[in-house]
């Protein structure tokens, strides 16, 4: 499962194409992450979990 | 413009209306020599169409490229004893490789003369040995470009500048050999900005960065001699660089002061993304001789910089880099949840070993000016140096 910030959507799609997986699904979170506080990171994770689980095929 | 049309206008035998080249130097009729050398068959309209075709294909670094015909490609391939299908560089994480043929096409487009091509292939061999370029650092937000250092007789034979304005413009061999690497990265590996090249800001080295060691004005053995290459061989040493920072020390006459100035520049906190760093110190000949007069060898300079590239914990705390991540070993503030101290002392070394610094001598003997190329790659060990193999 891949997770990246939305700033990397174009390179991520290009990498997927380069490796033969066009349309590969991954989760994006708002940029940036490196400069967030721990509570802000935790909020990002809570917010992305439903999308992450959907891609993994977990029924919610 | 179709590819077929591009081939047609690229035909070097096509006869066109006589034309004069525009004068890019503003010399005009005052200097009849350039106009006299223009062949009658030159067709500027077709030439422009071909250049625009390369732009339309996205096959440039933003500057015009030289159209590469099959006959020009053959001239490049004749310069080396290598199978055109042989792989010269691979980026496995992108599922892409570059062959000798593709490297030659891009070298021609970069403006290289065919006889430069063995140096370009040596650069690819050195980059392969370096290891980091093939693993993604070339695509990093940090924004690295390649830096090449050429040694040996190829410098004089090909006109690779080692004596003044080495990081600047004006020398075809320097400009185009470095550019050949970058154009290949764009065209063969797809490292285009905003796509697979994610550089936040990048570096001018992403256009070109190829210097030569000023062996003649250096007080020390040249780089290949240090590494055990036989005398008379030419070599290329490759590294990835983000910044070239200069050191002004024109009035310093004490080696100690100069070493401190160099070490402070090598260790500058802005360069510290990881726990430690690496650098190529490019000493101007004046600085090299100042250090050599006190009995220091290149190895002594590396050891001295290793010993002096030190920060107090407080100075690192002041810039939010007083600790490292327990996971990534990147520098982070001490109050970060992942923070651990890198060692127990208040004095923090930012070089792993003296070998994390490469020392070369290049530039003019006209001022006390040197440079530090901040490199991203191995932090120690043998430099990535490859022999230039000319065709037998």
């Amino acid at each position: 499962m891949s997770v990246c910030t939305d700033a990397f959507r174009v390179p991520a799609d290009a990498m997927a194409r380069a490796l033969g997986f066009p349309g590969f699904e991954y989760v994006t979170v708002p940029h940036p992450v490196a400069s967030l506080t721990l509570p802000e990171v935790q909020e990002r994770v809570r917010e992305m979990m439903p999308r992450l689980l959907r891609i993994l095929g977990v029924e919610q | 413009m179709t590819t077929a049309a591009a081939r047609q206008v690229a035909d070097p035998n096509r006869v066109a209306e006589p034309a004069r080249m525009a004068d890019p130097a503003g010399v005009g009729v005052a200097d009849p020599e350039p106009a006299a050398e223009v062949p009658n068959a030159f067709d500027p309209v077709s030439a422009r169409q071909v250049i625009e075709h390369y732009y339309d294909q996205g096959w440039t670094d933003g500057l015009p490229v030289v159209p590469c015909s099959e006959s020009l490609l053959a001239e490049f391939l004749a310069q080396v004893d290598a199978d055109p299908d042989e792989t010269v560089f691979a980026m496995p994480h992108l599922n892409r490789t570059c062959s000798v043929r593709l490297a030659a096409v891009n070298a021609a487009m970069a403006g290289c003369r065919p006889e430069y091509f063995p140096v370009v292939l040596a650069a690819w061999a050195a980059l392969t040995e370096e290891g980091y370029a093939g693993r993604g650092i070339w695509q990093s937000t940090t924004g690295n470009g390649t830096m090449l250092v050429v040694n040996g007789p190829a410098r004089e034979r090909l006109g690779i500048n080692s004596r003044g304005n080495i990081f600047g413009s004006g020398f075809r061999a320097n400009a185009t050999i470095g550019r050949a690497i970058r154009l290949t990265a764009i065209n063969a590996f797809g490292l285009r900005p905003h796509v697979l090249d994610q550089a936040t800001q990048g570096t001018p080295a992403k256009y070109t960065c190829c210097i030569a060691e000023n062996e003649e004005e250096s007080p020390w053995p040249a780089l290949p001699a240090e590494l055990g290459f036989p005398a008379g061989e030419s070599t290329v040493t490759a590294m990835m660089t983000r910044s070239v920072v200069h050191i002004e020390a024109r009035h310093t006459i004490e080696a100690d002061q100069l070493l401190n100035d160099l070490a402070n520049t090598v260790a500058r906190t802005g360069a510290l993304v990881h726990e430690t760093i690496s650098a190529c110190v490019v000493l101007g000949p004046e600085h090299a001789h100042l250090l050599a007069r006190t009995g220091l060898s290149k190895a002594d300079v590396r050891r001295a910089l290793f010993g002096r590239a030190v920060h107090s914990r407080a100075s690192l705390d002041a810039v939010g880099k007083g600790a490292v991540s327990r996971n990534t070993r990147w520098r982070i503030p001490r109050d970060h949840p992942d923070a651990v101290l890198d060692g127990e002392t208040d004095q923090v070394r930012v070089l792993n070993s003296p070998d994390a610094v490469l020392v070369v001598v290049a530039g003019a003997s006209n001022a006390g000016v040197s440079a530090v190329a901040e490199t991203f790659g191995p932090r120690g060990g043998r430099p990535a140096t490859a022999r230039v193999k000319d065709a037998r």
Side-chain angles (χ1 to χ4, degrees), chain A residues 8 10-11 14-15 17-20 34 36 38, chain B residues 92-96 139 141 194-196 198 337:
Chain A
F8 294 94
V10 173
M15 282 293 288
R17 284 194 300 275
L19 294 174
L36 298 183
L38 187 55
Chain B
H93 67 286
L94 295 179
N95 225 5
R96 289 176 183 168
Q139 299 167 253
T141 48
H194 301 188
V195 190
L196 285 176
Q198 307 163 58

Side-chain angles (χ1 to χ4, degrees), chain B residues 71-139:
Chain B
S71 60
L72 180 56
L73 172 59
E75 287 186 51
F76 275 74
L77 295 176
Q79 297 286 328
V80 295
D81 287 327
D83 180 345
D85 292 324
E86 187 183 322
T87 295
V88 296
F89 195 73
M91 298 188 83
H93 67 286
L94 295 179
N95 225 5
R96 289 176 183 168
T97 59
C98 174
S99 64
V100 170
R101 180 183 291 103
L102 208 45
V105 171
N106 281 280
M109 288 167 56
C112 288
R113 293 173 65 90
E115 54 266 38
Y116 303 169
F117 190 47
V119 177
V120 174
L121 281 195
W124 283 117
L127 282 167
T128 298
E129 186 178 327
E130 190 264 0
Y132 278 68
R135 293 206 298 267
I137 193 70
W138 220 343
Q139 299 167 253

Side-chain angles (χ1 to χ4, degrees), chain A residues 16-35:
Chain A
R17 284 194 300 275
L19 294 174
F21 295 97
F24 177 79
E25 283 202 90
Y26 54 92
V27 173
T28 60
V29 296
H31 197 83
V33 165
S35 53

Side-chain angles (χ1 to χ4, degrees), chain B residues 198-264:
Chain B
Q198 307 163 58
T200 306
Q201 295 182 321
T203 164
K206 280 186 186 267
Y207 281 103
T208 184
C209 185
C210 174
I211 68 171
E213 189 164 27
N214 187 345
E215 299 177 15
E216 292 72 17
E217 296 182 281
S218 168
W220 298 309
L223 184 56
E226 287 180 86
L227 299 173
F229 285 89
E233 284 205 337
S234 297
T235 60
V236 179
T237 301
M239 58 204 87
M240 302 301 294
T241 187
R242 168 60 167 88
S243 305
V244 177
V245 188
H246 74 290
I247 294 114
E248 293 272 357
R250 295 163 186 256
H251 306 290
T252 307
I253 56 173
E254 292 187 22
D256 235 21
Q257 293 173 346
L258 178 58
L259 288 168
N260 286 335
D261 216 357
L262 293 167
N264 288 346

